[in-house]
Amino acid sequence: MTLSRRNMLGSGASLLAFPMIAKSRIALAAGGPAFSKRAIDVVKESLVIDMLAPLKISLTADAYTRRLTDAEKAEFRGSGITGFHSAWGLGGPDAFTDALENLAAWQGFVGRNSDVFTLVGEVEDLDRAKARGLCAVIMGIQNAEHFRTVEDVARFHRLGLRCSQLTYNSQNMIGSGSTDRVDGGVSDFGVSIIAEMEKVGMLVDISHCGDQTKLDGIQLAKGPIAITHSNCRALVDHPRTTTDEAIKALAAKGGVMGITGVRMFIKKTDPTTIVDLVDHIDHVRKLTSIEHVGIGSDADLNGYDDMKPEEYAILKSSYKASYGFREKIDTDGFDHPKKTFTLAEELIRRGYSNADIKAVLGGNFRRLLAQTWTPRPEAKSS
């Protein structure tokens, strides 16, 4: 196969970025980028989990109805990624029915492409998918407005939902979003929702929450939770990034933070490359430890910048001005189906051991999912 978008090494991450490994490189496919043998081996040996990876970013109403082309199948199989947390930002007055439709639509897509995908219900499904060479899909929703009552948590869990954010960018009945003017923290209703999520074994995600709502979510949870996709406020001041206080609190509870590839969350100015992205991984590692950082790319295999121009414009216009979109959304070098291999190269260049690379690529999130997907009947509202 050949990559469906620009050659990775021509998009801002040249061979000069990897001086220690540039001498001996292997192309995984004719016409595609080349990588060091060590990077290829460590990715292949890892259980790679991308904790925010919609299967296809498209505003086309029937995007989930079709079968993958042979080229698309090759991209998924060759990506090195086993676990795809496919979650969409849903909300508003129809959140309940929209969430039901979303689960049905994308689980149907997985079924229609069962030679590539398998659904995840328990953590061992990720291990089985890795052994079989399949892509394992974790169903999530980037909000919790679909939880009209506490009883809805168990209802959605039975329907396959394994991860839910407490809020998206705006206020709901649970708490405040990252772009709200005022952040009142987690509500009484939110306390009961967090407790019920832990009780049934559903991962609590606070990625898009406001700063106080994040801290409340961490404090109120009895066990570890996740920031599946965010970046570090200490490196870039953006409403969607996370403070050191919250990162340390998350780690103290055993949680994991996934680093995104969204350009304006990584660096204020261009160029913005894979090197800048790994600065955020380094920051979490140094602030806490290697056990608390992973990847949540916040994109499909090809990223946002290859969307149809009219859909790209609609997507950007649907967010508040505080999001600060620049011309591009994707980060150079992390914007193609082989981005996991590019990431491994940069981690190698910085002296990460194979064990630490495997932890970042998915080992840390695999541990967290094993802990949080185990029902906790003892969880009670505070």
Side-chain angles (χ1 to χ4, degrees):
M1 72 172 239
T2 56
L3 295 181
S4 65
R5 61 183 300 145
R6 69 190 73 86
N7 183 296
M8 178 274 296
L9 295 175
S11 64
S14 72
L15 285 175
L16 295 176
F18 309 109
M20 297 177 65
I21 57 178
K23 293 181 179 179
S24 178
R25 302 177 71 85
I26 303 167
L28 294 177
F35 304 95
S36 69
K37 184 179 184 300
R38 182 182 168 194
I40 293 169
D41 288 346
V42 75
V43 171
K44 289 185 175 180
E45 292 167 8
S46 299
L47 174 63
V48 180
I49 303 173
D50 187 337
M51 274 306 290
L52 203 286
L55 299 179
K56 179 62 179 177
I57 295 175
S58 172
L59 302 185
T60 304
D62 60 351
Y64 54 81
T65 63
R66 63 185 184 83
R67 295 183 184 276
L68 294 173
T69 66
D70 288 344
E72 289 170 329
K73 290 178 182 180
E75 285 185 344
F76 276 103
R77 290 171 177 151
S79 68
I81 303 170
T82 294
F84 290 77
H85 174 213
S86 184
W88 296 77
L90 304 174
D94 299 322
F96 179 80
T97 54
D98 286 349
L100 292 176
E101 181 178 347
N102 184 272
L103 285 176
W106 289 103
Q107 289 183 107
F109 180 79
V110 169
R112 281 186 290 276
N113 294 282
S114 59
D115 54 334
V116 177
F117 300 120
T118 184
L119 283 172
V120 173
E122 58 185 13
V123 75
E124 289 79 12
D125 290 329
L126 289 159
D127 304 327
R128 287 187 279 267
K130 175 69 174 177
R132 296 171 59 195
L134 294 172
C135 297
V137 180
I138 302 164
M139 295 305 302
I141 294 176
Q142 295 188 63
N143 209 336
E145 286 193 69
H146 50 288
F147 297 149
R148 306 163 303 177
T149 65
V150 171
E151 290 73 24
D152 280 337
V153 175
R155 179 177 290 113
F156 274 95
H157 187 270
R158 290 192 296 269
L159 293 173
L161 188 65
R162 291 296 178 269
C163 178
S164 193
Q165 284 183 184
L166 296 183
T167 69
Y168 197 54
N169 289 326
S170 300
Q171 180 76 40
N172 63 20
M173 290 177 62
I174 290 171
S176 300
S178 62
T179 60
D180 277 324
R181 185 177 62 84
V182 177
D183 184 353
V186 171
S187 67
D188 289 348
F189 178 64
V191 172
S192 63
I193 291 296
I194 292 170
E196 189 68 11
M197 289 176 71
E198 290 193 291
K199 180 180 177 181
V200 303
M202 185 184 295
L203 179 63
V204 176
D205 183 4
I206 54 173
S207 297
H208 279 254
C209 293
D211 290 346
Q212 186 59 51
T213 299
K214 275 181 178 168
L215 292 171
D216 285 357
I218 295 165
Q219 187 272 322
L220 289 164
K222 305 301 181 186
I225 65 173
I227 298 173
T228 62
H229 59 295
S230 185
N231 296 80
C232 305
R233 185 78 55 82
L235 301 185
V236 61
D237 186 12
H238 190 284
R240 268 283 285 113
T241 56
T242 300
T243 64
D244 282 358
E245 180 184 9
I247 295 169
K248 289 190 288 187
L250 181 83
K253 277 282 190 75
V256 180
M257 175 170 162
I259 300 301
T260 85
V262 177
R263 198 176 195 89
M264 63 276 193
F265 303 167
I266 291 174
K267 192 179 174 185
K268 283 281 190 181
T269 59
D270 287 329
T272 304
T273 74
I274 186 73
V275 174
D276 303 304
L277 184 154
V278 177
D279 286 344
H280 289 259
I281 295 174
D282 272 348
H283 183 79
V284 177
R285 176 181 63 85
K286 293 171 183 176
L287 190 66
T288 60
S289 70
I290 193 66
E291 290 81 15
H292 302 292
V293 62
I295 298 300
S297 68
D298 202 359
D300 64 14
L301 286 181
N302 285 291
Y304 294 91
D305 295 336
D306 282 352
M307 292 177 70
K308 296 177 181 177
E310 62 274 16
E311 292 189 4
Y312 195 55
I314 292 170
L315 181 139
K316 284 185 172 181
S317 68
S318 67
Y319 290 85
K320 290 183 178 180
S322 59
Y323 251 61
F325 285 108
R326 306 208 293 273
E327 181 181 356
K328 295 172 65 178
I329 298 177
D330 301 327
T331 290
D332 297 342
F334 200 66
D335 53 355
H336 57 86
K338 302 287 189 190
K339 58 190 172 188
T340 300
F341 295 92
T342 318
L343 175 60
E345 294 281 31
E346 177 60 17
L347 293 171
I348 290 169
R349 189 186 71 83
R350 295 193 186 207
Y352 279 62
S353 69
N354 282 8
D356 285 353
I357 294 171
K358 291 176 182 179
V360 172
L361 293 184
N364 291 334
F365 271 124
R366 199 268 181 211
R367 182 192 68 250
L368 179 67
L369 295 176
Q371 292 175 283
T372 58
W373 285 350
T374 301
R376 294 171 55 89
E378 74 279 10
K380 296 178 182 178
S381 300
S382 300

